[in-house]
Amino acid sequence: MASACSQLVEVTVKPIDLQPVEQFAQSFVYAADGSLIATLRFANREPVGYEDLPQHLVDAVVSAEDRRFFDHDGVDARAIVRAWVANRRAGGVVQGGSTITQQLIKNRYFPDAETTIERKAAEAQLAWQLEQEVSKEQILTDYLNTVYFGSGAHGIEAAAQTYFATTTAALTPAQSALLAGIIRSPERASPFNDPVAAAAERRRVVLIMQEEGYLDGGERARIISSPLGTTTPPEPPPTRFPYFVEYVKRSLVTDPEFGFDEPSRWRRLFGGGLRIHTTIDPALQATAEATAHRVFDGASDPEVAIAVVEPATGAVRATVGGRDFATRQFDLATQGRRQPGSTFKVFALAAALSRGWGINDTIESSSGVFDLGGGQPWSVRSGTAGPLSLHEALVQSSNGAFARLALELGPGAVEGMAHSMGITTEIGANASIVLGGLRTGVSPVEMAGAFATLANGGVHAPLSPITRITDADGGLLWESRDLPRVTMTPETAYLVTRAMQAVITDGTGQLAQLDRPAAGKTGTVQDNADAWFVGFTPELSTAVWIGYPDAVRPLLDVHGEARVQGGNWPARIWREFMSAALQGQPVRDFSYPEQLVETVMVDPLTGGIATPYCPTSVPLTGLPGELPDFLCPLHTAPLPAPTPTAVPTATPLPTVTITATPQPTPTVTTPPPASPGPTTTPSPPPTAQPTPSPAEPPPPPPPTGPGIGTG
């Protein structure tokens, strides 16, 4: 027998240079309040330490799988021979000769079922090497963390939870014996699949434990006669907020900082034992879902997508990606990209102010046909006519004014501002983007994040659904390194915000009015195919989109609205959500950049900056973009002194008497001239310049600044 044993052990093998098969541990996803919202796993596995293993579990597993585990050096020659003899007598495989160490090696390096002599020799060599490097306790722990127990349970902790709804540390001797017994045939002997076979395996283990001295006769009898005590087969772990969880997954597997390539990122996500802490607020999420589905809940209704962002941090607090994740997994809030309509006018206004325009500068707002080159004129219909200030053009959502503004600025200016504020999808460098004619469209979460830049005083905080990722012990593994960036001055952000406030109070978004300061912009796409309202308060920026996701289909006759536009249903949904989300919170106003305020003297008649020759001037205080940037056009220099002229006099000049008080003075009498002579009229001082008649208004100031319209 010894020679046979030597033959089996001393097989010559080639040098081994193998990478271990990754052992996966499930990851957990948490909401901002710490509640569990998802479990991510390739297989149900959760590792434990040796200190978590009850002694009766160690005894049961060693009895069932490797009685001489604590005595051999990784390969048990005696067990191999014994198994060979038993299998020869039985005419089939009834015993295995592999040690626990060899089984661990197989799980680590050779997960396939090949059983050649060379493979077994390689397993034996690696088992011996492993025994020289680590303790028996570590080998047994690793084995129990990797072995499969059936019913999707990989590892002892998952098995304890799956079969008994308990932890490894809390297992009873009977439960330990059952789990040790089913290792040999995990699916066939699973108590869920075949309770009789499972009981037989438990009995086998208990009898060996008695033989090895781990149990006495009474304990053996009690375990064999006791019921299996398994729980109901568990359902797959539920996922709360599935659209948001999918958004978290996509964010990580596309992030180069999370792994070398996409496959490695997926492995890390589902098998890295991660604790992923996200930004979602369950209360806001519930409010958003209830608001979106309160009216639009029918199968034939258009879909509603909502995205909610915290301006100061870029944290995504809620997303509504559709009515039913089970029937449609495509996330309309983060993946859906549709044309934004007039909401993009906000980016044009921000670009203009950033390039030197004033909020009160005017531009023609009527319809027009514009030459874009290439022989294709751009025809723009506008609901306004005549010159409008940029402020009023946004309030009235003038297509004509913003088409001309885009041409004045150049489409690259609008595109660049949109990207700097947080739009990441491809926009396209053409003037029509100012009216929503994007190359690929934009998602609600991008729009909410971009408008949040204005609420944050011109500083864009990059969007993130994740705050940090830790290991099971709380060690930090990953966090976003994206830093906030300044995209415009606080003055520009405030002036754009104030114009957007007027959109809600006096313009196209009046149905979105709250009982607190709020700013927003409506958007309606041609033929009413998409309708938007995107707005913000200092606390939250929220985008609402309504449309049919499968086709460009007009939003006609929808719940009482003949045509859904940004100013009706989207504005109502935005108001309902924001009112509930901010209920009970103190009312905050948008931050006014007081440090930038200036005071200038202006001519009250012309509105221009007063010159030394203006007869009157008054102080005007405000942000630079609100103040005039032109000089008074009427009072640029003193009037020239008139040329003296001879005036014939028919009668002598009257005598002029000058009297000083309090005492009398002599009277000076001017004697009459011998003959009539000319009288000289003195030139008036600079302040005596005559004022134009109100019936004849002064001419407008000459245009200043880059590309200011003349209308």
Side-chain angles (χ1 to χ4, degrees), residues 372-643:
L372 301 180
Q376 292 186 346
W378 182 30
S379 179
V380 175
R381 291 183 299 175
S382 185
T384 59
L388 288 177
S389 70
L390 295 186
H391 176 99
E392 193 60 30
L394 189 76
V395 174
Q396 297 190 34
S397 197
S398 170
N399 287 347
F402 277 94
R404 290 175 174 86
L405 183 62
L407 292 171
E408 291 274 6
L409 293 171
V414 181
E415 180 189 31
M417 179 57 70
H419 280 317
S420 71
M421 290 175 64
I423 300 301
T424 59
T425 53
E426 188 177 6
I427 295 173
N430 59 79
S432 66
I433 65 175
V434 75
L435 305 183
L438 276 63
R439 184 168 297 168
T440 56
V442 67
S443 68
V445 75
E446 287 178 274
M447 290 299 294
F451 278 27
T453 303
L454 298 168
N456 200 32
V459 178
H460 176 68
L463 290 181
S464 179
I466 304 165
T467 56
R468 68 190 188 284
I469 300 175
T470 67
D471 59 22
D473 298 321
L476 184 64
L477 300 176
W478 178 95
E479 62 181 346
S480 175
R481 297 181 182 178
D482 292 333
L483 298 176
R485 62 178 182 270
V486 177
T487 65
M488 66 188 76
T489 65
E491 173 196 1
T492 295
Y494 181 79
L495 293 177
V496 175
T497 297
R498 197 171 68 174
M500 295 173 69
Q501 287 183 268
V503 169
I504 291 179
T505 57
D506 305 307
T508 58
Q510 295 184 46
L511 289 179
Q513 290 188 57
L514 302 175
D515 58 356
R516 61 180 66 226
K521 185 68 187 78
T522 56
T524 307
V525 176
Q526 188 174 5
D527 297 326
N528 299 87
D530 303 88
W532 296 76
F533 189 88
V534 188
F536 53 88
T537 65
E539 299 85 1
L540 296 174
S541 178
T542 300
V544 176
W545 170 85
I546 296 180
Y548 293 99
D550 296 328
V552 178
R553 172 181 165 191
L555 294 160
L556 304 177
D557 192 22
V558 178
H559 291 286
E561 291 290 350
R563 292 181 176 272
V564 176
Q565 298 176 321
N568 49 52
W569 272 120
R572 292 189 190 105
I573 291 173
W574 186 90
R575 179 191 63 199
E576 182 177 334
F577 167 76
M578 293 292 280
S579 295
L582 299 173
Q583 186 174 11
Q585 295 194 29
V587 175
R588 292 173 54 197
D589 204 348
F590 296 105
S591 177
Y592 183 71
E594 296 181 5
Q595 73 278 10
L596 301 177
V597 169
E598 297 178 359
T599 299
V600 297
M601 302 301 292
V602 301
D603 186 302
L605 182 63
T606 65
I609 298 173
T611 73
Y613 309 106
C614 291
T616 59
S617 62
V618 295
L620 182 62
T621 299
L623 297 173
E626 300 173 295
L627 300 175
D629 58 358
F630 61 92
L631 293 175
C632 170
L634 290 182
H635 310 114
T636 58
L639 292 177
T643 303

Side-chain angles (χ1 to χ4, degrees), residues 171-262:
L171 287 170
T172 67
Q175 292 169 341
S176 293
L178 175 58
L179 294 180
I182 64 178
I183 290 175
R184 191 168 67 172
S185 184
E187 290 297 346
R188 182 192 63 79
S190 165
F192 294 153
N193 298 334
D194 190 342
V196 174
E201 290 296 334
R202 183 181 67 173
R203 182 176 184 277
R204 174 182 66 84
V205 172
V206 169
L207 291 174
I208 298 173
M209 291 179 71
Q210 183 183 11
E211 290 178 15
E212 296 295 322
Y214 298 130
L215 294 176
D216 59 29
E219 291 172 315
R220 180 208 66 194
R222 282 193 298 272
I223 292 175
I224 291 176
S225 62
S226 65
L228 296 180
T230 54
T231 60
T232 303
E235 294 290 330
T239 296
R240 299 167 64 198
F241 321 133
Y243 285 113
F244 181 81
V245 171
E246 291 300 313
Y247 176 39
V248 168
K249 294 179 188 177
R250 290 193 304 274
S251 298
L252 289 175
V253 299
T254 57
D255 185 353
E257 293 184 4
F258 189 64
F260 175 73
D261 55 15
E262 187 167 323

